[in-house]
């Protein structure tokens, strides 16, 4: 069962999401929240696998809530057996936004969200996305997400503490990071490089450890900011 926390300040939207998820096989709604502050508290208490996070909310918004949820989860002792990386398992944050040019989305990815969906997404796509991020994949739809990230990387100032280079990575790790940033799934990367999905995950885990990153989304951001991927182009 994938344990989900639903966060949205609009009662009707939140109720609709909860009803949809409760009717879906393999998904359990463990809590719901109407704002970011409430979301942080309920995430700490219920330890969901996936947080479905509204981005625009009064008070504590989705970006701040995402940062706090992931930071607190990383600092908390693991609730179960430690994963292979030896690090506590973190919840995956899937951000919801109304507009595909919402300038908060890039900030949300930078904060560690695993991806985002538009609020007009169909039920099947939403459920697929929840399962995808729960598996550790990043929702990176080429038709919307990649275009948005490229646009905002071009407009954004580099983060001061982002790695200036990727010299610590092996050639294969750089290759996997490049393909991840271009929007390929683990399965697609494995097929293109003629390696197993497990090997792809190993390369990504080592990359995130070397660059001190907490999520696949942050790895994508670093790939753009470091120049490994040029918006609208290829490797840097």
């Amino acid at each position: 069962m994938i344990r989900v926390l639903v966060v949205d300040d609009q009662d009707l939207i939140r109720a609709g999401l909860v009803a949809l998820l409760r009717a879906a096989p393999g998904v359990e709604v463990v809590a719901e929240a109407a704002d970011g502050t409430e979301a942080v508290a309920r995430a700490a208490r219920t330890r969901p696998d996936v947080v479905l996070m509204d981005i625009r909310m009064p008070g504590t918004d989705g970006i701040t809530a995402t940062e706090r949820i992931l930071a607190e989860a990383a600092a908390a002792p693991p609730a179960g057996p430690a994963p292979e990386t030896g690090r506590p398992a973190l919840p995956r944050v899937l951000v919801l936004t109304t507009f595909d040019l919402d300038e908060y989305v890039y900030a949300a990815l930078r904060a560690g969200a695993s991806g985002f969906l538009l609020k007009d997404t169909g039920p099947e796509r939403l459920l697929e996305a929840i399962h995808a991020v729960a598996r550790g994949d990043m929702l990176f739809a080429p038709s919307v997400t990649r275009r948005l990230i490229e646009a905002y990387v071009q407009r954004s100032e580099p983060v001061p503490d982002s790695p200036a280079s990727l010299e610590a990575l092996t050639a294969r790790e750089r290759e996997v990071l490049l393909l991840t940033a271009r929007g390929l799934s683990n399965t697609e990367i494995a097929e293109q490089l003629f390696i197993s999905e497990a090997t792809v995950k190993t390369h990504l885990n080592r990359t995130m450890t070397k660059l001190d990153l907490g999520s696949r989304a942050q790895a994508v951001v670093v790939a753009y900011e470091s120049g490994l991927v040029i918006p609208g182009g290829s490797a840097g």
Side-chain angles (χ1 to χ4, degrees), residues 22 28 56 96 98 129 133 140 148-149 162 181-182 191 200 221 224:
R22 283 180 174 162
E28 176 188 3
R56 289 182 170 179
L96 293 176
T98 303
V133 298
F140 196 58
L148 186 148
I149 291 178
S162 292
R182 287 180 176 172
E191 291 175 352
V200 172
V221 171
Y224 278 95

Side-chain angles (χ1 to χ4, degrees), residues 65-76:
T66 295
E67 292 175 338
R68 289 174 56 188
I69 287 171
L70 296 178
E72 291 185 12

Side-chain angles (χ1 to χ4, degrees), residues 12-234:
L12 286 177
I13 291 179
R14 189 174 69 254
L17 290 170
V18 169
L20 170 67
L21 297 181
R22 283 180 174 162
V27 177
E28 176 188 3
V29 177
V30 295
E32 53 182 287
D35 58 52
T37 300
E38 195 174 49
V40 174
R42 295 192 176 178
R45 187 176 73 246
T46 62
R47 295 196 174 191
D49 301 310
V50 175
V51 180
L52 200 57
M53 177 74 75
D54 187 13
I55 199 167
R56 289 182 170 179
M57 296 180 289
T60 302
D61 63 20
I63 296 169
T64 303
T66 295
E67 292 175 338
R68 289 174 56 188
I69 287 171
L70 296 178
E72 291 185 12
E84 292 180 3
T85 58
R87 303 169 68 178
L90 299 180
R92 307 291 180 176
V93 179
L94 183 58
V95 170
L96 293 176
T97 182
T98 303
F99 306 105
D100 65 350
L101 291 180
D102 190 332
E103 64 187 57
Y104 290 118
V105 173
Y106 181 64
L109 294 176
R110 201 183 279 238
S114 294
F116 80 98
L117 287 176
L118 301 182
K119 285 190 176 180
D120 61 0
T121 297
E124 291 185 3
R125 176 59 172 158
L126 172 61
L127 294 174
E128 289 173 358
I130 289 173
H131 281 274
V133 298
R135 290 194 303 267
D137 287 338
M138 178 182 169
L139 191 71
F140 196 58
S143 62
V144 179
T145 314
R146 180 180 173 187
R147 172 173 55 82
L148 186 148
I149 291 178
E150 290 183 348
Y152 281 96
V153 168
Q154 286 181 309
R155 291 172 50 185
S156 300
E157 293 296 325
V159 180
D161 58 359
S162 292
S165 70
L166 305 178
E167 293 178 358
L169 304 183
T170 65
R172 181 63 91 185
E173 288 165 353
R174 288 169 61 93
E175 196 169 18
V176 169
L177 177 58
L178 170 64
L179 295 176
T180 299
R182 287 180 176 172
L184 275 66
S185 67
N186 286 354
T187 300
E188 292 168 331
I189 294 172
E191 291 175 352
Q192 183 158 328
L193 299 181
F194 302 102
I195 57 179
S196 69
E197 285 190 58
T199 301
V200 172
K201 291 180 180 179
T202 297
H203 286 310
L204 281 174
N205 286 338
R206 288 175 178 169
T207 295
M208 289 190 287
T209 298
K210 289 179 178 180
L211 301 181
D212 193 25
L213 303 173
S215 74
R216 186 184 181 106
Q218 289 176 329
V220 171
V221 171
V222 166
Y224 278 95
E225 292 184 332
S226 65
L228 179 64
V229 179
I230 305 300
S234 56

